[in-house]
Coordinates of all heavy atoms in Angstrom, one line a residue:
K54 N 25.4 -7.1 18.1 CA 24.5 -8.3 18.4 C 23.4 -8.4 17.3 O 23.1 -9.4 16.8 CB 24.0 -8.1 19.8 CG 23.1 -9.4 20.2 CD 22.7 -9.4 21.5 CE 21.8 -10.6 21.7 NZ 21.7 -11.1 23.0
Q55 N 22.9 -7.2 17.0 CA 21.7 -7.2 15.9 C 22.3 -7.9 14.6 O 21.6 -8.7 13.9 CB 21.1 -5.9 15.7 CG 20.4 -5.4 16.7 CD 19.9 -3.9 16.5 OE1 20.5 -3.2 15.7 NE2 18.8 -3.7 17.1
R56 N 23.6 -7.5 14.2 CA 24.1 -8.1 12.9 C 24.3 -9.6 13.0 O 24.0 -10.2 12.0 CB 25.4 -7.5 12.6 CG 25.4 -6.0 12.2 CD 26.7 -5.4 12.0 NE 26.6 -4.1 12.0 CZ 26.9 -3.3 10.9 NH1 27.2 -4.1 9.7 NH2 26.7 -2.1 10.8
L57 N 24.7 -10.1 14.1 CA 24.9 -11.5 14.2 C 23.6 -12.3 14.3 O 23.4 -13.4 13.8 CB 25.7 -11.9 15.5 CG 27.2 -11.4 15.4 CD1 27.9 -11.8 16.7 CD2 27.9 -12.1 14.2
T58 N 22.6 -11.6 14.9 CA 21.3 -12.2 14.9 C 20.7 -12.3 13.5 O 20.1 -13.1 13.0 CB 20.2 -11.4 15.8 OG1 20.8 -11.4 17.3 CG2 18.8 -12.0 15.8
A59 N 20.8 -11.1 12.6 CA 20.4 -11.1 11.3 C 21.2 -12.1 10.5 O 20.6 -13.0 9.7 CB 20.5 -9.7 10.8
A60 N 22.3 -12.3 10.8 CA 23.3 -13.4 10.0 C 22.8 -14.7 10.3 O 22.7 -15.5 9.5 CB 24.7 -13.1 10.3
H61 N 22.4 -14.9 11.5 CA 22.0 -16.3 11.9 C 20.6 -16.6 11.2 O 20.4 -17.6 10.8 CB 21.8 -16.4 13.4 CG 21.4 -17.8 14.0 ND1 22.1 -18.8 13.7 CD2 20.2 -18.2 14.6 CE1 21.5 -19.9 14.3 NE2 20.3 -19.5 14.7
M62 N 19.8 -15.6 11.2 CA 18.4 -15.8 10.6 C 18.6 -16.0 9.1 O 17.8 -16.9 8.5 CB 17.6 -14.5 10.8 CG 17.1 -14.4 12.2 SD 16.2 -12.8 12.4 CE 14.6 -13.2 11.7
I63 N 19.5 -15.4 8.5 CA 19.8 -15.7 6.9 C 20.3 -17.1 6.8 O 19.9 -17.6 5.8 CB 20.8 -14.6 6.4 CG1 20.2 -13.2 6.4 CG2 21.3 -15.0 5.0 CD1 21.1 -12.0 6.1
R64 N 21.2 -17.4 7.6 CA 21.7 -18.9 7.6 C 20.5 -19.8 7.8 O 20.4 -20.8 7.0 CB 22.7 -19.1 8.7 CG 24.1 -18.8 8.2 CD 24.6 -19.8 7.3 NE 26.0 -19.4 6.9 CZ 26.6 -20.0 6.0 NH1 26.0 -20.8 5.1 NH2 27.8 -19.8 5.7
Q65 N 19.6 -19.6 8.6 CA 18.4 -20.5 8.8 C 17.6 -20.5 7.5 O 17.0 -21.7 7.2 CB 17.6 -20.0 10.0 CG 18.2 -20.3 11.3 CD 17.3 -19.8 12.4 OE1 16.6 -18.8 12.2 NE2 17.5 -20.5 13.6
I66 N 17.4 -19.4 6.9 CA 16.6 -19.4 5.6 C 17.3 -20.4 4.5 O 16.6 -21.0 3.8 CB 16.6 -18.0 5.1 CG1 15.6 -17.0 6.0 CG2 15.9 -18.0 3.6 CD1 15.7 -15.6 5.7
L67 N 18.6 -20.3 4.5 CA 19.3 -21.2 3.6 C 19.2 -22.7 3.8 O 19.7 -23.5 2.9 CB 20.7 -20.7 3.4 CG 20.9 -19.2 2.9 CD1 22.4 -18.8 3.0 CD2 20.4 -19.3 1.5
E68 N 19.0 -23.0 5.1 CA 19.1 -24.5 5.4 C 17.6 -25.1 4.9 O 16.6 -24.8 5.4 CB 19.1 -24.7 6.9 CG 20.6 -24.2 7.4 CD 20.6 -24.3 9.0 OE1 19.6 -24.9 9.6 OE2 21.6 -23.9 9.5
V69 N 17.8 -25.8 3.9 CA 16.7 -26.4 3.3 C 16.7 -28.0 3.3 O 17.8 -28.6 3.0 CB 16.6 -26.1 1.9 CG1 15.4 -26.6 1.2 CG2 16.5 -24.6 1.6
A70 N 15.7 -28.6 4.0 CA 15.6 -30.1 4.1 C 15.5 -30.9 2.8 O 15.8 -31.9 2.6 CB 14.8 -30.4 5.2
D71 N 14.6 -30.2 1.9 CA 14.3 -30.9 0.8 C 15.3 -30.9 -0.4 O 15.1 -31.4 -1.5 CB 12.9 -30.4 0.0 CG 12.9 -28.9 -0.2 OD1 14.0 -28.3 0.0 OD2 11.8 -28.4 -0.5
G72 N 16.4 -30.3 -0.2 CA 17.5 -30.4 -1.2 C 17.5 -29.3 -2.2 O 18.3 -29.2 -3.0
D73 N 16.6 -28.3 -2.2 CA 16.5 -27.2 -3.0 C 17.6 -26.3 -2.7 O 18.0 -26.1 -1.6 CB 15.2 -26.4 -3.0 CG 14.0 -27.1 -3.5 OD1 14.3 -28.1 -4.4 OD2 13.0 -26.7 -3.3
R74 N 18.2 -25.7 -3.8 CA 19.3 -24.7 -3.6 C 18.7 -23.4 -3.4 O 17.9 -23.0 -4.3 CB 20.2 -24.7 -4.7 CG 20.9 -26.1 -4.9 CD 22.0 -26.1 -6.0 NE 23.2 -25.6 -5.4 CZ 24.3 -25.4 -6.1 NH1 24.3 -25.6 -7.3 NH2 25.4 -25.0 -5.4
R75 N 19.2 -22.5 -2.5 CA 18.8 -21.3 -2.2 C 19.9 -20.4 -2.3 O 20.9 -20.7 -1.8 CB 18.0 -21.1 -0.9 CG 16.7 -21.9 -0.9 CD 15.9 -21.5 0.4 NE 14.6 -22.2 0.5 CZ 13.9 -22.2 1.4 NH1 14.1 -21.5 2.5 NH2 12.7 -22.9 1.4
Y76 N 19.7 -19.2 -2.8 CA 20.7 -18.2 -2.9 C 20.4 -16.9 -2.2 O 19.2 -16.5 -2.4 CB 21.2 -17.8 -4.4 CG 21.7 -19.1 -5.0 CD1 20.7 -20.0 -5.7 CD2 23.0 -19.4 -4.9 CE1 21.3 -21.0 -6.4 CE2 23.4 -20.6 -5.6 CZ 22.7 -21.4 -6.3 OH 23.1 -22.5 -7.0
V77 N 21.2 -16.2 -1.6 CA 21.0 -15.0 -1.0 C 22.1 -13.9 -1.3 O 23.3 -14.4 -1.1 CB 20.8 -15.0 0.7 CG1 20.6 -13.6 1.1 CG2 19.7 -15.9 1.0
L78 N 21.8 -12.8 -1.8 CA 22.7 -11.8 -2.1 C 22.8 -10.8 -0.8 O 21.8 -10.2 -0.4 CB 22.5 -11.0 -3.3 CG 23.4 -9.9 -3.7 CD1 24.8 -10.3 -4.0 CD2 22.8 -9.0 -4.7
V79 N 24.0 -10.7 -0.2 CA 24.2 -9.9 1.0 C 25.3 -8.8 0.6 O 26.4 -9.4 0.2 CB 24.6 -10.7 2.2 CG1 24.9 -9.9 3.4 CG2 23.4 -11.7 2.5
V80 N 25.0 -7.6 0.8 CA 26.0 -6.5 0.9 C 26.4 -6.2 2.2 O 25.4 -5.8 3.0 CB 25.5 -5.3 0.0 CG1 26.4 -4.2 0.0 CG2 25.0 -5.7 -1.4
E81 N 27.6 -6.4 2.6 CA 27.9 -6.3 4.1 C 29.3 -5.7 4.2 O 30.2 -5.9 3.4 CB 28.0 -7.7 4.6 CG 28.3 -7.7 6.1 CD 27.4 -6.7 7.1 OE1 26.2 -7.2 7.1 OE2 27.9 -5.8 7.6
H82 N 29.5 -4.7 5.1 CA 30.8 -4.1 5.2 C 31.5 -4.6 6.5 O 32.7 -4.3 6.8 CB 30.6 -2.6 5.4 CG 29.8 -2.1 6.6 ND1 28.5 -2.1 6.5 CD2 30.3 -1.7 7.8 CE1 28.1 -1.7 7.7 NE2 29.1 -1.5 8.6
D83 N 30.8 -5.3 7.3 CA 31.4 -6.0 8.6 C 32.1 -7.4 8.1 O 31.3 -8.3 7.7 CB 30.2 -6.2 9.6 CG 30.8 -6.6 10.9 OD1 31.9 -7.4 11.0 OD2 30.2 -6.4 11.9
L84 N 33.3 -7.4 8.2 CA 34.1 -8.5 7.7 C 33.9 -9.7 8.5 O 33.8 -10.9 8.0 CB 35.6 -8.3 7.7 CG 36.0 -7.1 6.6 CD1 37.5 -7.0 6.7 CD2 35.5 -7.3 5.3
A85 N 33.4 -9.7 9.8 CA 33.2 -10.9 10.5 C 31.9 -11.5 10.2 O 31.8 -12.6 10.0 CB 33.2 -10.5 12.0
V86 N 30.9 -10.6 10.0 CA 29.6 -11.1 9.4 C 29.7 -11.6 8.1 O 29.1 -12.8 7.7 CB 28.6 -10.0 9.6 CG1 27.2 -10.3 9.0 CG2 28.3 -9.6 11.0
L87 N 30.5 -11.1 7.2 CA 30.6 -11.5 6.0 C 31.3 -12.9 5.9 O 30.9 -13.8 5.2 CB 31.6 -10.5 5.2 CG 31.8 -10.8 3.7 CD1 30.7 -10.7 2.8 CD2 33.0 -10.0 3.2
D88 N 32.3 -13.0 6.7 CA 33.0 -14.3 6.8 C 32.0 -15.4 7.3 O 32.0 -16.5 6.8 CB 34.2 -14.2 7.8 CG 35.0 -15.5 7.8 OD1 35.1 -16.2 6.8 OD2 35.5 -15.8 9.0
Y89 N 31.2 -15.2 8.3 CA 30.1 -16.1 8.8 C 29.2 -16.6 7.8 O 28.8 -17.6 7.6 CB 29.5 -15.4 10.0 CG 28.4 -16.3 10.5 CD1 28.6 -17.6 11.1 CD2 27.0 -15.9 10.4 CE1 27.6 -18.3 11.6 CE2 26.0 -16.7 10.9 CZ 26.3 -17.9 11.5 OH 25.3 -18.7 12.0
L90 N 28.7 -15.5 7.0 CA 27.5 -15.7 6.1 C 27.9 -16.4 4.8 O 27.1 -17.1 4.1 CB 26.9 -14.4 5.8 CG 25.9 -13.8 6.8 CD1 25.4 -12.6 6.3 CD2 24.7 -14.9 7.0
S91 N 29.1 -16.1 4.3 CA 29.4 -16.3 2.8 C 30.1 -17.6 2.5 O 30.9 -18.1 3.3 CB 30.4 -15.2 2.4 OG 29.8 -13.9 2.5
D92 N 29.7 -18.1 1.3 CA 30.5 -19.2 0.8 C 31.4 -18.7 -0.2 O 32.4 -19.3 -0.6 CB 29.5 -20.2 0.1 CG 28.7 -20.9 1.2 OD1 29.1 -21.2 2.2 OD2 27.4 -21.0 0.8
Y93 N 30.9 -17.5 -0.9 CA 31.8 -16.8 -2.0 C 31.7 -15.3 -1.7 O 30.7 -14.9 -1.2 CB 31.2 -17.1 -3.4 CG 31.3 -18.8 -3.7 CD1 30.2 -19.5 -3.6 CD2 32.6 -19.2 -4.1 CE1 30.3 -20.9 -3.9 CE2 32.6 -20.6 -4.4 CZ 31.6 -21.3 -4.3 OH 31.5 -22.8 -4.5
V94 N 32.7 -14.6 -2.3 CA 32.7 -13.2 -2.0 C 33.1 -12.6 -3.5 O 34.0 -13.0 -4.2 CB 33.8 -12.8 -1.2 CG1 34.0 -11.3 -1.0 CG2 33.5 -13.3 0.4
C95 N 32.3 -11.5 -3.8 CA 32.7 -10.7 -5.0 C 33.1 -9.4 -4.5 O 32.4 -8.8 -3.5 CB 31.5 -10.5 -5.9 SG 31.0 -11.9 -6.7
V96 N 34.1 -8.8 -5.0 CA 34.6 -7.5 -4.6 C 34.1 -6.5 -5.6 O 34.2 -6.7 -6.8 CB 36.2 -7.4 -4.6 CG1 36.7 -6.1 -4.2 CG2 36.8 -8.4 -3.6
L97 N 33.6 -5.4 -5.1 CA 33.1 -4.3 -5.8 C 33.9 -3.1 -5.8 O 34.4 -2.7 -4.6 CB 31.6 -3.9 -5.4 CG 30.5 -4.8 -5.8 CD1 30.5 -6.1 -5.0 CD2 29.2 -4.2 -5.6
Y98 N 34.4 -2.5 -6.8 CA 35.1 -1.3 -6.8 C 34.8 -0.4 -8.0 O 34.0 -0.8 -8.9 CB 36.5 -1.7 -6.9 CG 37.0 -2.3 -8.2 CD1 37.5 -1.7 -9.3 CD2 37.0 -3.7 -8.3 CE1 37.8 -2.3 -10.5 CE2 37.3 -4.4 -9.5 CZ 37.7 -3.6 -10.6 OH 38.0 -4.2 -11.8
G99 N 35.1 0.8 -8.0 CA 34.8 1.8 -9.1 C 35.0 3.2 -8.6 O 35.7 3.5 -7.6
S100 N 34.4 4.1 -9.4 CA 34.5 5.5 -9.0 C 33.1 6.1 -9.0 O 32.1 5.8 -9.8 CB 35.2 6.2 -10.2 OG 35.2 7.6 -10.0
A101 N 32.8 6.8 -7.9 CA 31.4 7.4 -7.7 C 31.0 8.2 -8.8 O 31.7 9.2 -9.2 CB 31.4 8.2 -6.4
G102 N 29.9 8.0 -9.3 CA 29.3 8.6 -10.6 C 30.0 8.4 -11.8 O 29.6 9.0 -12.8
G103 N 30.9 7.4 -11.8 CA 31.7 7.0 -13.0 C 31.3 5.7 -13.5 O 30.8 5.5 -14.6
Y104 N 31.8 4.7 -12.7 CA 31.7 3.3 -13.2 C 31.8 2.4 -11.9 O 32.4 2.8 -10.8 CB 32.8 2.9 -14.2 CG 34.2 2.9 -13.5 CD1 34.6 1.7 -13.1 CD2 35.0 4.0 -13.4 CE1 35.9 1.6 -12.5 CE2 36.1 4.0 -12.8 CZ 36.6 2.7 -12.4 OH 37.8 2.8 -11.8
G105 N 31.3 1.2 -12.1 CA 31.5 0.2 -11.1 C 31.7 -1.2 -11.6 O 31.3 -1.4 -12.7
V106 N 32.6 -2.0 -11.0 CA 33.0 -3.2 -11.4 C 32.7 -4.3 -10.3 O 33.0 -4.0 -9.1 CB 34.3 -3.3 -11.9 CG1 35.0 -4.7 -12.4 CG2 34.7 -2.2 -13.0
V107 N 32.1 -5.5 -10.6 CA 32.0 -6.6 -9.7 C 33.0 -7.7 -10.2 O 32.9 -8.0 -11.4 CB 30.6 -7.0 -9.7 CG1 30.4 -8.2 -8.7 CG2 29.6 -5.8 -9.4
T108 N 33.8 -8.1 -9.3 CA 34.7 -9.3 -9.8 C 34.0 -10.5 -9.8 O 32.8 -10.8 -9.3 CB 35.9 -9.4 -8.7 OG1 35.3 -9.9 -7.5 CG2 36.5 -8.2 -8.6
M109 N 34.6 -11.4 -10.4 CA 34.1 -12.9 -10.4 C 34.2 -13.4 -8.9 O 34.9 -13.0 -8.2 CB 35.0 -13.8 -11.3 CG 34.9 -13.5 -12.7 SD 33.2 -13.6 -13.4 CE 33.2 -15.4 -13.5
P110 N 33.4 -14.4 -8.7 CA 33.4 -14.8 -7.1 C 34.7 -15.5 -6.7 O 35.5 -16.2 -7.4 CB 32.3 -16.0 -7.2 CG 31.4 -15.7 -8.4 CD 32.4 -15.1 -9.3
F111 N 35.1 -15.1 -5.5 CA 36.3 -15.7 -4.9 C 35.8 -16.5 -3.7 O 34.8 -16.3 -3.3 CB 37.2 -14.6 -4.3 CG 37.9 -13.7 -5.3 CD1 37.4 -12.4 -5.5 CD2 39.0 -14.1 -5.9 CE1 38.1 -11.5 -6.4 CE2 39.7 -13.3 -6.7 CZ 39.2 -12.0 -7.0
G112 N 36.7 -17.5 -3.2 CA 36.5 -18.0 -1.9 C 36.5 -16.9 -0.9 O 37.1 -15.9 -1.1
V113 N 35.9 -17.2 0.3 CA 35.8 -16.1 1.3 C 37.0 -15.6 1.7 O 37.2 -14.4 1.8 CB 35.0 -16.7 2.5 CG1 34.9 -15.7 3.6 CG2 33.5 -17.1 2.1
R114 N 37.9 -16.4 2.1 CA 39.2 -15.9 2.6 C 40.0 -15.1 1.5 O 40.6 -14.1 1.7 CB 40.2 -17.2 2.9 CG 41.5 -16.8 3.6 CD 42.2 -18.0 4.2 NE 42.4 -18.9 3.0 CZ 43.7 -19.3 2.7 NH1 44.8 -18.9 3.2 NH2 43.7 -20.2 1.7
T115 N 40.0 -15.6 0.2 CA 40.8 -14.9 -0.9 C 40.1 -13.8 -1.1 O 40.7 -12.8 -1.4 CB 40.7 -15.9 -2.1 OG1 41.3 -17.1 -1.8 CG2 41.5 -15.3 -3.3
G116 N 38.7 -13.7 -1.0 CA 38.1 -12.4 -1.4 C 38.2 -11.3 -0.4 O 38.5 -10.1 -0.7
I117 N 38.3 -11.8 0.8 CA 38.4 -10.7 1.8 C 39.9 -10.2 1.9 O 40.2 -9.1 2.0 CB 38.1 -11.3 3.4 CG1 36.5 -11.5 3.3 CG2 38.6 -10.5 4.5 CD1 36.1 -12.3 4.7
N118 N 40.8 -11.1 1.8 CA 42.2 -10.7 1.5 C 42.5 -9.8 0.5 O 43.2 -8.8 0.4 CB 43.2 -11.9 1.4 CG 43.2 -12.6 2.9 OD1 42.9 -12.0 3.7 ND2 43.7 -13.8 2.8
A119 N 41.8 -10.0 -0.8 CA 41.9 -9.1 -1.9 C 41.4 -7.8 -1.6 O 42.0 -6.8 -2.0 CB 41.1 -9.9 -3.2
F120 N 40.2 -7.7 -1.0 CA 39.7 -6.5 -0.5 C 40.7 -5.7 0.4 O 40.9 -4.5 0.3 CB 38.3 -6.8 0.1 CG 37.8 -5.4 0.8 CD1 37.3 -4.4 0.0 CD2 37.9 -5.1 2.1 CE1 36.8 -3.2 0.6 CE2 37.4 -4.2 2.7 CZ 36.8 -3.1 2.0
L121 N 41.3 -6.5 1.4 CA 42.0 -5.7 2.4 C 43.3 -5.3 1.7 O 43.8 -4.2 2.0 CB 42.3 -6.8 3.5 CG 41.2 -7.0 4.5 CD1 41.6 -8.0 5.5 CD2 40.8 -5.8 5.2
A122 N 43.8 -6.1 0.8 CA 45.2 -5.8 0.0 C 44.9 -4.6 -1.0 O 45.9 -3.8 -1.3 CB 45.7 -6.8 -0.6
G123 N 43.6 -4.4 -1.5 CA 43.3 -3.4 -2.4 C 43.8 -3.8 -3.8 O 44.0 -3.0 -4.8
F124 N 44.0 -5.1 -4.0 CA 44.5 -5.7 -5.3 C 43.7 -6.9 -5.7 O 43.5 -7.8 -4.8 CB 46.0 -6.1 -5.1 CG 46.6 -6.6 -6.3 CD1 46.9 -5.7 -7.4 CD2 46.9 -8.0 -6.4 CE1 47.5 -6.4 -8.5 CE2 47.5 -8.5 -7.5 CZ 47.8 -7.7 -8.5
I125 N 43.2 -6.9 -7.0 CA 42.6 -8.2 -7.3 C 43.5 -8.9 -8.3 O 43.9 -8.5 -9.4 CB 41.4 -7.7 -8.4 CG1 40.4 -6.7 -7.5 CG2 40.5 -8.8 -8.8 CD1 39.8 -7.3 -6.3
P126 N 44.0 -10.0 -7.8 CA 45.1 -10.8 -8.6 C 44.7 -11.3 -9.9 O 45.4 -11.4 -10.8 CB 45.6 -11.8 -7.6 CG 44.4 -12.0 -6.5 CD 43.7 -10.6 -6.5
T127 N 43.4 -11.9 -10.0 CA 42.8 -12.3 -11.2 C 42.8 -11.3 -12.3 O 42.7 -11.8 -13.4 CB 41.5 -13.1 -11.0 OG1 40.6 -12.1 -10.4 CG2 41.6 -14.2 -10.1
E128 N 42.6 -10.1 -12.0 CA 42.6 -9.0 -13.0 C 43.8 -8.1 -12.9 O 43.8 -7.2 -13.8 CB 41.3 -8.1 -12.7 CG 40.0 -8.9 -12.8 CD 38.8 -8.1 -12.4 OE1 38.8 -6.9 -12.5 OE2 37.9 -8.7 -12.0
N129 N 44.8 -8.5 -12.2 CA 46.0 -7.7 -12.0 C 45.8 -6.2 -11.9 O 46.2 -5.4 -12.7 CB 46.9 -8.0 -13.2 CG 48.4 -7.4 -13.0 OD1 48.7 -7.5 -11.8 ND2 49.1 -7.2 -14.0
L130 N 44.8 -5.9 -10.9 CA 44.3 -4.5 -10.8 C 44.4 -4.1 -9.3 O 43.9 -4.7 -8.5 CB 42.9 -4.5 -11.3 CG 42.2 -3.2 -11.1 CD1 42.4 -2.3 -12.4 CD2 40.8 -3.2 -10.7
R131 N 45.0 -3.0 -9.2 CA 45.1 -2.3 -7.8 C 44.1 -1.2 -7.8 O 44.1 -0.4 -8.6 CB 46.5 -1.7 -7.6 CG 46.5 -1.1 -6.2 CD 47.9 -0.9 -5.7 NE 48.6 -2.1 -5.4 CZ 48.4 -2.9 -4.4 NH1 47.5 -2.7 -3.5 NH2 49.2 -4.0 -4.3
F132 N 43.0 -1.3 -6.9 CA 42.0 -0.3 -6.8 C 42.1 0.6 -5.7 O 41.4 1.5 -5.5 CB 40.5 -1.0 -6.7 CG 40.2 -2.0 -5.7 CD1 39.8 -1.4 -4.4 CD2 40.6 -3.2 -5.7 CE1 39.6 -2.2 -3.4 CE2 40.5 -4.0 -4.5 CZ 39.9 -3.6 -3.4
R133 N 43.1 0.4 -4.8 CA 43.5 1.3 -3.7 C 44.9 1.2 -3.6 O 45.6 0.2 -3.6 CB 42.8 0.6 -2.3 CG 42.9 1.5 -1.2 CD 42.4 1.0 0.0 NE 41.3 0.2 0.1 CZ 41.0 -1.1 0.2 NH1 42.2 -1.8 0.5 NH2 40.0 -1.7 0.1
E134 N 45.6 2.4 -3.3 CA 47.0 2.5 -3.2 C 47.6 1.7 -2.0 O 48.6 1.2 -2.1 CB 47.4 4.0 -3.2 CG 47.4 4.6 -4.6 CD 47.9 6.0 -4.6 OE1 48.9 6.2 -3.9 OE2 47.4 6.8 -5.4
D135 N 46.8 2.0 -0.8 CA 47.3 1.4 0.4 C 46.5 0.3 0.9 O 45.2 0.3 0.7 CB 47.4 2.5 1.5 CG 48.2 3.7 1.2 OD1 49.3 3.4 0.6 OD2 47.8 4.8 1.6
S136 N 47.1 -0.8 1.3 CA 46.3 -1.9 1.9 C 45.7 -1.5 3.2 O 46.3 -0.6 3.9 CB 47.1 -3.2 2.0 OG 48.2 -3.1 2.9
L137 N 44.7 -2.1 3.6 CA 44.1 -2.0 4.9 C 44.6 -3.0 5.9 O 44.8 -4.2 5.5 CB 42.5 -2.1 4.8 CG 41.8 -1.3 3.9 CD1 40.3 -1.6 3.9 CD2 42.0 0.2 4.3
S138 N 45.1 -2.6 7.0 CA 45.6 -3.5 8.0 C 45.1 -3.1 9.4 O 44.7 -2.0 9.7 CB 47.1 -3.4 8.1 OG 47.5 -2.2 8.4
F139 N 44.9 -4.2 10.3 CA 44.5 -3.9 11.6 C 45.5 -4.2 12.6 O 46.2 -5.4 12.4 CB 43.2 -4.9 11.8 CG 42.1 -4.6 10.8 CD1 42.0 -5.3 9.7 CD2 41.2 -3.5 11.1 CE1 40.9 -5.1 8.8 CE2 40.2 -3.3 10.1 CZ 40.1 -4.1 9.1
K140 N 45.9 -3.3 13.5 CA 46.8 -3.5 14.5 C 46.3 -3.9 15.8 O 45.2 -3.2 16.3 CB 47.7 -2.3 14.6 CG 48.3 -1.9 13.3 CD 49.6 -1.3 13.5 CE 50.1 -0.8 12.1 NZ 50.8 -1.4 11.2
V141 N 46.8 -4.9 16.5 CA 46.3 -5.3 17.7 C 47.2 -4.6 18.8 O 48.4 -4.7 18.8 CB 46.4 -6.8 17.9 CG1 45.9 -7.2 19.3 CG2 45.5 -7.5 16.8
R142 N 46.6 -3.9 19.8 CA 47.3 -3.4 20.8 C 47.4 -4.0 22.0 O 46.4 -4.7 22.6 CB 46.7 -1.9 21.0 CG 47.0 -1.1 19.7 CD 46.4 0.3 20.0 NE 46.3 1.0 18.6 CZ 46.2 2.3 18.7 NH1 46.0 3.0 19.7 NH2 46.3 2.8 17.5

């Protein structure tokens, strides 16, 4: 519940009546919150203590699917051997 409350507060910060554009950078591991908050998603991958790479922005659905698949199609790069999947029981 705290994450959704925080996400709602961030959304309120972004709602501007005077037309100014505001940006917020959020690092989030909860995909539901990420989906709610984001207009664009960048996937981060790398090796601890070695290197790190940030992709160009994807649309939310495309970015989350790339993360789950472990494959960045625009860079033709697999950063994880196995894709992540969620099974409903």
Side-chain angles (χ1 to χ4, degrees):
K54 182 171 176 159
Q55 288 177 336
R56 287 176 193 251
L57 293 178
T58 301
H61 183 67
M62 290 177 71
I63 291 170
R64 273 287 183 196
Q65 286 179 334
I66 291 169
L67 293 174
E68 292 176 6
V69 181
D71 58 5
D73 288 342
R74 297 185 88 181
R75 293 185 181 179
Y76 299 92
V77 175
L78 174 67
V79 176
V80 178
E81 180 59 64
H82 66 276
D83 185 331
L84 296 180
V86 172
L87 182 71
D88 185 34
Y89 173 72
L90 277 178
S91 302
D92 295 323
Y93 299 98
V94 172
C95 295
V96 178
L97 286 73
Y98 62 92
S100 174
Y104 70 94
V106 177
V107 180
T108 66
M109 295 296 288
F111 291 105
V113 176
R114 184 176 58 119
T115 305
I117 290 174
N118 286 338
F120 171 76
L121 292 174
F124 179 73
I125 308 296
T127 55
E128 300 178 23
N129 195 25
L130 177 94
R131 178 160 298 285
F132 62 89
R133 185 183 325 109
E134 288 188 29
D135 299 322
S136 64
L137 300 176
S138 63
F139 301 97
K140 306 220 186 265
V141 177
R142 294 180 188 195

